[in-house]
Amino acid sequence: MHNLEKAKELFLRDIPNFKEQCLKLINGDLTKMDYKGISGGYGVYAQRDQKSFMIRLRFSSGVVTLSQLHKVYEFAKEYNLDIIHFTTRQAVQLHDLNVDGICNIMEEAIKNNIFTRGSGGNFPRNVGLSPLSGVDPNEAFDVTPYAVATDKHFMSKITTYHLPRKFKVSYSSCPMDSAHATVQDLGFLAIMKDNKPYFKVFVGGGLGKNPGLGIELDELIEPKDVLYYVEGLTKLFMDEGDYSNKHKARVRYMVYRLGEEEFIKKFKEYVAKEKENNNLDIQLEKIEYPYDSGVETNIKDCRLFPQKQKGYYSVYIHPIGGQLKLDDLNKLLNTLDNCKYASIRFAMTEGIFIINLNGKEAENLLEISKDFSGNTSLEKSISCIGIPRCQMGIQNSQKMLHEIIDYFKENSHGDNTILNAMPRIYISGCINSCGVHQIGAIGLTGKKKKANGQMCDAFEILLDGDFEYKNTRLGKSLGDFKADEIPKILFEIGEKVANSEMDFYTYYAANENEIVKITSKYNI
């Protein structure tokens, strides 16, 4: 922790230098790409207009205190923001800020142990975590302390990294793999063997252009050893990564270049070197959970999750597209202020879990949040921020999401059967997969395509991706489709799934040709 305190001092001292770079961009003395190369490491990106900015607030593995969430509200309120955006990396983005705003927020955030450094650019990103780790009755063991300790390890020396590209690590507590450990640069999946905790290790995965699944190591590792694997891969990446071509600079390209066998051999050599030369046995902080008897509830709700702590529950809140209005955040905070043990976990689904609620508190929160949370499977879909804000975006993914939901509601006439028959849809505005579209049951990625001799807004549809351990696979492409026809196409598929009374994966496995028949009418 001492190293992290020193890092905080450095972060604060560096803000004036960063502000200078922002002003250079605005004055035209710095190109947008040169600025992006600098600003990403500070967790800041210029928006498409080159005059306003986004700042990404990094909370270690999405573990957030109530006072920190209050601080986010204060930031948004002070700068007259209408919404905050939850990301697929368990962070919060604040948009439409000026230079003074991002620098002031950065400074105040650091003082509250909220960091922005390394939440963009060529750095170790926020460490992923199964959000219900520690309370999930189906987990092998609580991986929260390991994820948080790994992220704090990164943060304590974040300014010292010189990596070819970004570097993502995740921890999952059960085979559902809600932290996507099987498709990360480095992923850890908790298991129990002979009543002892171990991690399965996955390495060299990643999404985006030329995606790949992680390679599962042939041995289990003891939890105390995780940082040897983290440091080993980090150093291998620095030594063998491609610094000349950023499009081929992620860890998975080393696997493609070296071959799996040679890559794993080198990785294990680097891990062995770390064990020999450094003391990286992990230092864990205790995570508190309620141990007294809670209060049972008999209600059933798709957003209510009974915890392994008797009489305690978690409630999931999913603002559409990860966009939570400030007034609704205020309602949420006022409610949480009166909950005895409530704790906050951001999910990798652009939503938020409130854990450690007794039955009465959970019932109350479900009622209060029902108007600002998606309550059907389709409404819990995921969308990156997209254009008009994102510089790199091709399509307006948020607009696409709302058009899909609106079409389903208009054509369902108050019956949610089809909205619940459809799985969560994962939407990315471009190939970069910020909406993790490649591992969703249904994924969309934005494009521009020529149809009848004219360029049009389009999305590629991918189906049958999955990230659950043992089932991990990338979605199959059905081709490209006009953006304005996507809601109709998906509704036709939804009708078939709903009428079959099967879940989507089961229906697709039995009726792939039927779905191809539906979509082939609309291909461009």
Side-chain angles (χ1 to χ4, degrees), residues 232 262-274:
E262 180 63 20
F263 173 80
I264 293 298
K265 182 179 168 221
K266 282 199 172 202
F267 175 46
K268 289 184 177 181
E269 286 170 0
Y270 273 77
V271 172
K273 209 180 291 179
E274 289 302 311

Side-chain angles (χ1 to χ4, degrees), residues 33 164-165 208-210 242-250 252-253 256 392 431-432:
M33 290 314 291
R165 279 296 301 278
K209 198 172 182 183
N210 300 316
D242 190 336
Y243 289 87
S244 61
N245 181 356
K246 71 173 188 174
H247 300 295
K248 293 190 174 179
R250 294 293 299 277
R252 62 183 177 273
Y253 287 95
Y256 304 155
M392 312 302 290
I431 191 61
N432 283 333

Side-chain angles (χ1 to χ4, degrees), residues 163-223:
L163 303 176
R165 279 296 301 278
K166 58 189 169 188
F167 181 70
K168 292 184 176 180
V169 178
S170 275
Y171 288 81
S172 279
S173 58
C174 74
M176 286 300 293
D177 193 13
S178 54
H180 306 166
T182 56
V183 288
Q184 303 290 296
D185 297 302
L186 183 62
F188 299 95
L189 176 66
I191 68 154
M192 295 294 289
K193 185 179 179 185
D194 301 328
N195 291 319
K196 288 184 181 177
Y198 293 96
F199 280 117
K200 289 180 180 290
V201 180
F202 302 85
V203 62
L207 304 177
K209 198 172 182 183
N210 300 316
L213 308 183
I215 307 162
E216 184 177 345
L217 294 195
D218 51 11
E219 76 266 16
L220 302 175
I221 74 163
E222 291 186 52

Side-chain angles (χ1 to χ4, degrees), residues 16 21 81 85 87 116 152 161 188 205 207-208 230 272 309 311 358 372 383 398 408 410 433 493:
Q21 304 308 313
L81 306 185
H85 178 66
T87 77
T116 66
K152 288 186 173 177
Y161 286 99
F188 299 95
L207 304 177
V230 169
Q309 293 84 5
N358 69 36
F372 56 86
S383 168
Q398 291 279 332
F408 271 71
E410 285 163 15
S433 203
I493 293 171

Side-chain angles (χ1 to χ4, degrees), residues 204-452:
L207 304 177
K209 198 172 182 183
N210 300 316
L213 308 183
I215 307 162
E216 184 177 345
L217 294 195
D218 51 11
E219 76 266 16
L220 302 175
I221 74 163
E222 291 186 52
K224 69 178 179 62
D225 288 339
V226 289
L227 286 184
Y228 296 106
Y229 288 79
V230 169
E231 280 295 296
L233 185 58
T234 306
K235 286 175 181 166
L236 173 59
F237 189 29
M238 287 194 285
D239 289 349
E240 296 277 351
D242 190 336
Y243 289 87
S244 61
N245 181 356
K246 71 173 188 174
H247 300 295
K248 293 190 174 179
R250 294 293 299 277
V251 167
R252 62 183 177 273
Y253 287 95
M254 296 194 300
V255 179
Y256 304 155
R257 189 175 73 246
L258 296 169
E260 286 189 13
E261 194 176 321
E262 180 63 20
F263 173 80
I264 293 298
K265 182 179 168 221
K266 282 199 172 202
F267 175 46
K268 289 184 177 181
E269 286 170 0
Y270 273 77
V271 172
K273 209 180 291 179
E274 289 302 311
K275 286 182 176 177
E276 190 181 325
N277 298 329
N278 294 304
N279 177 17
L280 294 173
D281 282 15
I282 202 156
Q283 302 299 308
L284 301 179
E285 289 179 38
K286 188 171 173 54
I287 308 292
E288 296 291 341
Y289 301 99
Y291 290 104
D292 58 2
S293 290
V295 178
E296 301 279 348
T297 179
N298 295 319
I299 67 166
K300 302 290 181 192
D301 192 291
C302 66
R303 297 194 290 117
L304 181 69
F305 297 84
Q307 295 185 181
K308 62 185 182 184
Q309 293 84 5
K310 187 173 170 54
Y312 285 93
Y313 301 83
S314 298
V315 168
Y316 181 60
I317 298 170
H318 189 98
I320 304 296
Q323 309 270 61
L324 183 63
K325 290 178 182 170
L326 211 58
D327 287 346
D328 294 329
L329 175 57
N330 191 35
K331 286 179 200 166
L332 174 61
L333 288 167
N334 288 338
T335 305
L336 296 185
D337 283 339
N338 296 305
C339 296
K340 186 174 180 183
Y341 295 119
S343 186
I344 299 147
R345 299 278 180 89
F346 294 158
M348 292 179 83
T349 49
E350 296 184 322
I352 177 172
F353 280 97
I354 310 301
I355 68 170
N356 301 334
L357 300 166
N358 69 36
K360 289 295 178 195
E361 291 168 342
E363 288 175 15
N364 185 38
L365 187 56
L366 284 168
E367 180 63 27
I368 284 162
S369 62
K370 70 180 182 183
D371 292 333
F372 56 86
S373 175
N375 295 292
T376 63
S377 178
L378 186 74
E379 290 171 298
K380 293 176 197 161
S381 294
I382 285 168
S383 168
C384 69
I385 201 68
I387 63 168
R389 285 180 165 134
C390 178
Q391 272 195 49
M392 312 302 290
I394 297 172
Q395 287 301 332
N396 190 332
S397 43
Q398 291 279 332
K399 179 170 173 272
M400 181 81 268
L401 173 61
H402 281 276
E403 286 177 356
I404 291 167
I405 293 170
D406 290 346
Y407 188 94
F408 271 71
K409 286 188 169 181
E410 285 163 15
N411 289 278
S412 296
H413 311 295
D415 182 352
N416 285 335
T417 304
I418 297 178
L419 282 86
N420 279 314
M422 285 295 270
R424 178 178 264 143
I425 297 170
Y426 295 77
I427 308 174
S428 296
C430 70
I431 191 61
N432 283 333
S433 203
C434 295
V436 297
H437 63 277
Q438 292 158 322
I439 50 170
I442 299 178
L444 305 177
T445 179
K447 295 183 168 184
K448 287 280 190 184
K449 292 288 287 189
K450 194 169 270 192
N452 302 320

